[in-house]
Amino acid sequence: VPSSMSRLLWMGGSLANRSAAHSLCPLVNQVGLAAAAGGASRLPPALLAWSVGGVRGPKASTRKVPVILLKDSPNLGYRGEEVSVRPGYARNFLIPQQLVVYSTHENKSEFLKEKDAAEVERQAEVKRVGLLQRRLSKIDLTIKRHVRDEDKMYGSVTAKNISEKLMKSDLKIPEKDVLLTEIIKELGTYEIKVRLPSGDELPVKLYIVKR
């Protein structure tokens, strides 16, 4: 009797510690049966996710998936970068918001092509800006105006007038990039600034003379 009682006490004491493992037995049995019957493709979706450590698996809290950023993100990185995020975050937020795509071979190849094309365009823009800067540094811009007594000018010279004059010399500077501190209303010599596509500001000599 004591021997039987000891066995019962041992089983009762260890039952609580072993209950979690016992609860997995049905899942393990189903995985094993499905695998024997035809592999992972025969598993129910929930069991398949559990068996490969997916979002339902025991390591779901630490598992991450690689994605490629479609837009700059202050929290993740710059467009085109590959980063790792939690599966649920990618599936439920980033992908529906079109902020990322999964990092597949096809997506990587597509971004490499875009990166190469962007670099070619960037180099071409650098050359255009450099040429524009050299031409502007050598130009003396002259605008003629009718005057009345005491050489007082009729009307004024505005950023739009200066932009149009530059356009005639094949220098494409939009009106918004002609930086005037005030409208010019008198004849004379002025140093104005124009803003280049790069964001740099370049001084240009401007002469307002009598027509």
Side-chain angles (χ1 to χ4, degrees):
V1 174
S3 176
S4 300
M5 182 65 69
S6 298
R7 283 198 298 272
L8 287 173
L9 289 173
W10 176 84
M11 291 175 63
S14 61
L15 183 60
N17 295 331
R18 293 156 54 199
S19 61
H22 289 168
S23 67
L24 292 177
C25 287
L27 286 174
V28 174
N29 289 337
Q30 291 184 54
V31 171
L33 290 172
S41 61
R42 300 289 297 274
L43 289 173
L47 290 177
L48 180 60
W50 176 86
S51 67
V52 298
V55 293
R56 296 172 182 266
K59 295 184 179 180
S61 61
T62 58
R63 179 175 175 262
K64 292 188 176 182
V65 294
V67 295
I68 299 174
L69 299 178
L70 297 178
K71 300 177 182 178
D72 291 348
S73 169
N75 298 324
L76 297 175
Y78 295 101
R79 186 180 189 276
E81 284 188 323
E82 181 178 313
V83 299
S84 295
V85 298
R86 297 183 188 279
Y89 185 41
R91 182 180 62 253
N92 299 325
F93 179 75
L94 295 176
I95 291 176
Q97 295 294 322
Q98 298 183 347
L99 298 175
V100 304
V101 291
Y102 285 118
S103 181
T104 63
H105 176 72
E106 292 78 7
N107 288 338
K108 286 182 179 180
S109 298
E110 187 66 26
F111 267 89
L112 284 176
K113 292 178 183 177
E114 286 189 18
K115 184 177 180 180
D116 291 342
E119 179 60 21
V120 170
E121 178 60 28
R122 189 189 71 81
Q123 293 289 348
E125 181 65 14
V126 168
K127 291 181 179 179
R128 286 195 295 268
V129 171
L131 177 60
L132 180 61
Q133 187 171 3
R134 288 192 297 273
R135 292 189 61 194
L136 282 170
S137 65
K138 297 177 181 179
I139 192 173
D140 288 333
L141 195 62
T142 301
I143 294 179
K144 295 181 179 180
R145 283 289 184 263
H146 291 291
V147 298
R148 55 180 185 270
D149 295 339
E150 301 178 358
D151 287 343
K152 295 295 183 181
M153 190 170 61
Y154 286 104
S156 60
V157 175
T158 65
K160 181 179 180 180
N161 300 141
I162 297 170
S163 174
E164 290 172 349
K165 185 68 176 180
L166 289 168
M167 292 287 188
K168 290 178 181 179
S169 299
D170 198 27
L171 294 167
K172 297 181 180 179
I173 303 294
E175 178 183 348
K176 64 181 180 63
D177 290 330
V178 177
L179 309 177
L180 293 180
T181 56
E182 60 183 355
I183 296 175
I184 299 172
K185 297 183 178 180
E186 297 181 359
L187 302 180
T189 302
Y190 299 86
E191 185 175 272
I192 65 171
K193 289 185 178 181
V194 297
R195 183 168 48 230
L196 303 178
S198 62
D200 297 324
E201 296 179 5
L202 190 69
V204 174
K205 192 75 75 174
L206 173 64
Y207 300 94
I208 309 298
V209 300
K210 183 190 301 185
R211 181 182 290 278

